[in-house]
Amino acid sequence: MSTDQNLQNLQGNRACALAAIHAGCRLFAGYPITPSSEIAESMSAELPKVGGVFVQMEDEIASMGAVIGASAGGVKAMTATSGPGFSLKQEALGYAALTEIPSVIINVMRGGPSTGMPTRPAQGDIMQARWGTHGDHPTVVLVPWSVEEVFAETIRAFNLAELLRTPVIILFDEVIGHLVETVDLARFQNPQITDRKWADGKIEGFKPYRDPGDGVPMMARPGDGRRVHTTGLSHGESGFPTQNAGEVEKFMSRLLGKIAKHRDEVERIDARCCDDADVVVVAYGITARAAHRAVSMLRDQGIKAGLFRPITLWPFPESAFKAVAEHARLVLVPEMNAGQLILEVERLVSDKTTVAGLNLFYGEPITPQQIVEKAEALLSQ
Amino acid sequence: MSDVAQSEFNIRKYIREDLFPHFMCPGCGHGIALRALLNAVHNLGIDKNRLAIVSGIGCSGRVGAYIDANTFHTTHGRPLAFATGLKLARPDLEVIVITGDGDCLAIGGNHLIHACRRNLNITCLMLNNEVYGMTGGQVSPTTSTDRFTTTTQSGNYEPVFDACKLAEGAGAAFVGREMTLQTPALRDLIMEAIAHEGFSFVEVLSDCTEVFGRKNDMGDSMEMVLAQKSGFRSNSYGTAVDEPFKPRGMKTGVLHRSERLEYAAAYQQHHAEKSST
């Protein structure tokens, strides 16, 4: 039940930190970077109260390394960063993906490339989040649009990381990171918490990367007597390096396929007014809030507009989107970048549908009016 | 320490025999370092289920896989970062890092100095073979002056790191150096390092006959380690660096020891005090 006590004004970054602790995170390793630093600051104050460990590492790479090390030891762990730091973490992120060590990485996006605009919002890391580390790898990326959703999705990020044994990335941006909104904490009083499947049963002959059927192997806990080997080299079921084509092919197919096996748990969308929509606006994060307003402004003018908002950005919720886009004349994709998610959207619509972007990348949030004007201009063509 | 009553050391109890023969080149000193480490683990009575070996990339990075323990072969230069997270999460584990001169002093140099400063109870063995062996013999931060490598084809002109001075200066609680030739001394030094509370750094003077010694007419492995013993390596520590590091005989054994408060203990103590006030 909601009481006044449960209603709290929280900043997005702080909500992320509190939610992580709620989800069972007990180690945070980070490095100061604008506009994400409040996450580290909150963690430094809150984690010791619950017996957890906060450590400010010497750099972004070390932060990611420490998170993976902690999680390999069995403790849920998280790091938070922004563009330049996210770039630095990519190699270790790939290590976590290949070794299948659960981890949560927050990227509060700011203007880029390079140092860019540290105090300005952007959505320029959409493709980096998908493909940032080298080689083929599974990716799960969540994009909340409000402070309350930051709370919810941070908990879900930990659950998905544990369920899938993979790094999970949350992307939000400077606006949501610094936005203060009321969060009803009653919603999160007894959250569903997922823990990874720890290896049990016979120790002898244990294969740390054997597929139990759902694509996600059981994890050995250091100290349980299994004494497994963990390596970033390509490996087979035994965990030891191999260059055997058959073994590597089998391993990689499982690794790349395991997310799809859990699609129902991973994918999450928010579709509004889409049932009869001629115009579908695809937007995520802070831009989706402008898009939501724009949709009602267009409806007021008699234009049948709808909002399709992926909350899980990667893997992109393909079938849900296709169902919505099927009858649309126009799909408009506003993004605070030069056009990233639009590439995925274009791939999924038929020739009968026009896809257009609204791409603003000067460090200011896209306004509802800008979206309305773009839609009007496209419809009048 | 080694005269304490104990069962006889049988290396087969501590290695993954099914991975043998190992990948190291004939003459490589890393295998001797591995044996000395395992002997130390045995003598200290460390349960291998509670032993975590964290290594980076390179020849040194591949050594850990042969140990029958919880082994983590991480990314290049970052084993200390991984080990920091692991030890903070699991203080019950005995965490030992195996790294190399390139892994530890070049790409991983930042992590080394901060691991020393933080003083978490981890032991770091740096296997120094003066060269990037795995990638074919490129110059490293510890390659001696004038030595030929594939990236110093007219001889090395870069100054050399004294890793032990660096570790001591950065705050490591325990610092030592030993040659693979002196195997019992190396074993005992590693035992002391592991037993010491706080961050322990041990430089193991290994040798790379295949892609370093051969290119420098240094003879076979035995000649290389004997040259180390006669002090040939002393030139590598001092001649090319600043005044405070004037040429001196290479020192081995325990070089530094302090009883500085260990990181996890300091963390606990600090937050206990803050919460009680």
Side-chain angles (χ1 to χ4, degrees), chain A residues 54 58 222 227 229-231, chain B residues 16 49 71 73 90 111 118:
Chain A
F54 166 87
E58 55 272 19
R227 300 190 302 277
H229 185 56
T230 304
T231 178
Chain B
R16 291 169 171 151
N49 289 328
T71 51
H73 180 218
R90 292 291 302 276
H111 310 306
R118 233 172 250 125

Side-chain angles (χ1 to χ4, degrees), chain B residues 8-9 17 33 35 45 52 67 82 87 138 144 150 154 160 189 193 196 203 220 222-223 245 253 255 270:
Chain B
E8 201 184 325
F9 170 58
E17 272 194 87
R35 186 184 174 87
I67 302 174
F82 282 77
K87 184 68 181 176
Q138 295 79 20
S144 302
T150 54
S154 57
V160 172
L189 180 67
H196 194 88
E203 177 181 3
D220 64 14
M222 189 48 75
E223 287 173 87
F245 302 107
L255 303 178
H270 175 85

Side-chain angles (χ1 to χ4, degrees), chain A residues 126-381:
Chain A
I126 302 308
M127 283 299 175
Q128 190 191 19
R130 175 65 192 89
W131 296 112
T133 196
H134 57 279
D136 291 306
H137 56 276
T139 309
V140 178
V141 180
L142 314 178
V143 278
W145 77 336
S146 68
V147 174
E148 184 156 307
E149 201 168 85
V150 165
F151 206 108
E153 290 302 291
T154 301
I155 294 173
R156 198 164 75 97
F158 277 93
N159 288 345
L160 290 176
E162 295 285 317
L163 173 75
L164 301 164
R165 279 189 65 180
T166 201
V168 174
I169 296 161
I170 304 183
L171 295 179
F172 45 99
D173 61 82
E174 187 277 330
V175 173
I176 292 174
H178 288 154
L179 191 65
V180 176
E181 289 185 302
T182 306
V183 177
D184 183 3
L185 291 177
R187 254 191 81 191
F188 306 109
Q189 260 166 7
N190 296 300
Q192 184 212 323
I193 298 296
T194 307
D195 290 312
R196 70 194 78 170
K197 288 176 293 180
W198 289 110
D200 53 13
K202 225 169 73 182
I203 288 178
E204 198 65 31
F206 174 73
K207 299 281 186 209
Y209 291 98
R210 176 171 288 164
D211 184 358
D214 72 341
V216 184
M218 316 270 264
M219 197 157 166
R221 190 196 294 267
D224 71 358
R226 285 179 177 78
R227 300 190 302 277
V228 302
H229 185 56
T230 304
T231 178
L233 286 164
S234 297
H235 45 268
E237 283 188 345
S238 70
F240 291 104
T242 181
Q243 298 189 53
N244 176 288
E247 261 192 284
V248 173
E249 199 275 337
K250 188 180 167 197
F251 178 90
M252 285 301 292
S253 299
R254 177 186 61 72
L255 185 75
L256 299 172
K258 70 179 175 180
I259 310 290
K261 285 194 170 183
H262 294 269
R263 253 197 138 94
D264 290 347
E265 290 126 300
V266 177
E267 287 185 3
R268 185 174 284 188
I269 62 140
D270 175 18
R272 301 185 184 213
C273 310
C274 283
D275 291 347
D276 64 343
D278 295 326
V279 178
V280 173
V281 184
V282 180
Y284 49 92
I286 188 67
T287 306
R289 294 174 73 146
H292 186 217
R293 175 89 186 116
V295 161
S296 54
M297 287 161 76
L298 288 166
R299 287 261 166 190
D300 287 346
Q301 297 177 32
I303 297 166
K304 288 178 181 169
L307 169 68
F308 181 84
R309 181 170 75 89
I311 301 173
T312 304
L313 194 69
W314 302 115
F316 189 74
E318 279 189 31
S319 35
F321 173 66
K322 277 183 180 168
V324 161
E326 206 176 9
H327 305 294
R329 271 170 63 200
L330 171 67
V331 174
L332 177 59
V333 191
E335 297 181 83
M336 282 192 279
N337 59 43
Q340 296 193 15
L341 192 66
I342 193 172
L343 301 172
E344 185 73 0
V345 168
E346 282 169 340
R347 189 176 76 76
L348 296 168
V349 298
S350 69
D351 294 344
K352 287 177 287 182
T353 309
T354 304
V355 178
L358 171 62
N359 302 103
L360 305 177
F361 33 82
Y362 43 64
E364 283 174 25
I366 295 173
T367 65
Q369 194 59 39
Q370 286 169 322
I371 297 171
V372 168
E373 282 166 14
K374 183 74 181 181
E376 285 169 347
L378 289 162
L379 290 170
S380 65
Q381 272 173 14

